[in-house]
């Protein structure tokens, strides 16, 4: 029993050779299928995408940390639109709603920003346990397993691809380097040194059992009030001093996860 091919759907570059294929079908006396030709995907500059020039491999996208379901969703939107204008939908929903009539004649553009946005949406829909499992190939060997569980809630909203995990988390488990010029952008060397010393003295009064982000925040905010420090300058200085970066997950939750001993040691090292 042979399955009959009812539709042939392919790229527009096959359009010119279709008459030959029609003649071949007629010559063999076969029932003619429906031929449909789709516009090819273009780069942002509207040049044609090429596997020789562009990184279009699905395996490459997987290695970059894109989820299979987000790639499916993204590709479904290439030249087709959801009847309800939805941008996020499952493959089952796509299969139920797909019709050739909703394919546009305009060549779709491969928009990496759109794929990144879609991937982020799917990442945030995963439970922490599901996300941990998906992240397994991307978690560096020097990141302790028990630390991943603590870090994940802090970075989940910031992940664009699974491969971002390392760059977003390395300061939790690796030694940091601090650009001292960033610490003194809005204050003098002596002012920052005084801030660091007061911070170390104050944080040292919080024991391990009470090292929580609530207690850290209460203590740190008391420093700004009692010393008349500008919170913007001080918090940024503290963030850079503790993590080596100017952009991180929430500061006090980050300090809690890094741990009392490591936070104090890093600030003392800066004072030196």
């Amino acid at each position: 029993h042979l399955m009959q091919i009812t539709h042939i759907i392919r790229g527009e570059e096959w359009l010119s050779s279709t008459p030959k294929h029609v003649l071949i079908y007629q010559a063999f006396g076969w029932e003619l299928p429906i031929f449909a030709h789709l516009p090819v995907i273009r780069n942002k500059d509207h040049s044609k995408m090429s596997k020789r020039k562009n990184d279009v491999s699905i395996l490459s996208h997987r290695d970059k940390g894109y989820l299979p379901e987000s790639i499916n969703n993204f590709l479904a939107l290439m030249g087709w639109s959801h009847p309800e204008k939805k941008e996020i939908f499952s493959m089952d929903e796509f299969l139920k709603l797909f019709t050739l009539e909703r394919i546009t004649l305009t060549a779709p553009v491969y928009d990496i920003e759109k794929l990144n946005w879609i991937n982020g949406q799917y990442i945030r829909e995963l439970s922490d346990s599901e996300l941990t499992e998906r992240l397994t190939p991307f978690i560096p060997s020097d990141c302790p397993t028990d630390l991943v569980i603590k870090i994940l809630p802090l970075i989940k909203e910031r992940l664009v691809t699974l491969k971002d995990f390392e760059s977003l988390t390395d300061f939790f488990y690796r030694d940091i380097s601090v650009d001292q010029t960033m610490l003194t952008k809005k204050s003098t060397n002596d002012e920052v040194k005084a801030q660091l010393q007061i911070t170390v003295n104050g944080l040292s009064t919080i024991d391990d059992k009470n090292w929580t982000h609530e207690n850290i925040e209460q203590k740190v905010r008391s420093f700004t009030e009692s010393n008349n420090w500008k919170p913007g300058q001080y918090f940024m200085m503290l963030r850079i001093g503790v993590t080596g970066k100017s952009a991180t997950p929430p500061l006090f939750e980050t300090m809690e996860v890094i741990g009392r001993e490591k936070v104090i040691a890093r600030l003392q090292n800066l004072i030196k």
Side-chain angles (χ1 to χ4, degrees), residues 92-107:
D92 286 341
E93 187 174 355
F94 174 62
L95 292 175
K96 287 175 185 174
L97 295 172
F98 177 80
T99 60
L100 284 171
E101 286 75 16
R102 294 199 68 83
I103 296 284
T104 61
L105 295 179
T106 307

Side-chain angles (χ1 to χ4, degrees), residues 39 50 145 150 175:
S50 165
T145 305
K150 296 177 184 177
D175 291 339

Side-chain angles (χ1 to χ4, degrees), residues 20-32:
K20 295 178 186 177
H21 302 155
V22 171
L23 290 173
I24 292 171
Y25 269 86
Q26 291 173 341
F28 279 102
W30 297 337
E31 185 177 343
L32 202 64

Side-chain angles (χ1 to χ4, degrees), residues 82 160 162 200 265:
H82 192 287
V160 175
L162 300 178
V200 166

Side-chain angles (χ1 to χ4, degrees), residues 1 10 20 30 56 92 103-104 115 128 161-162 170 179 182 193 222 228:
H1 177 70
R10 55 195 183 179
K20 295 178 186 177
W30 297 337
V56 294
D92 286 341
I103 296 284
T104 61
L115 175 57
D128 285 356
T161 74
L162 300 178
D170 55 359
D179 181 352
M182 291 176 69
K193 190 171 183 180
S222 73
N228 201 28

Side-chain angles (χ1 to χ4, degrees), residues 6-19:
T6 59
H7 293 67
I8 293 178
I9 304 172
R10 55 195 183 179
E12 64 182 281
E13 64 267 28
W14 287 87
L15 198 55
S16 60
S17 59
T18 302

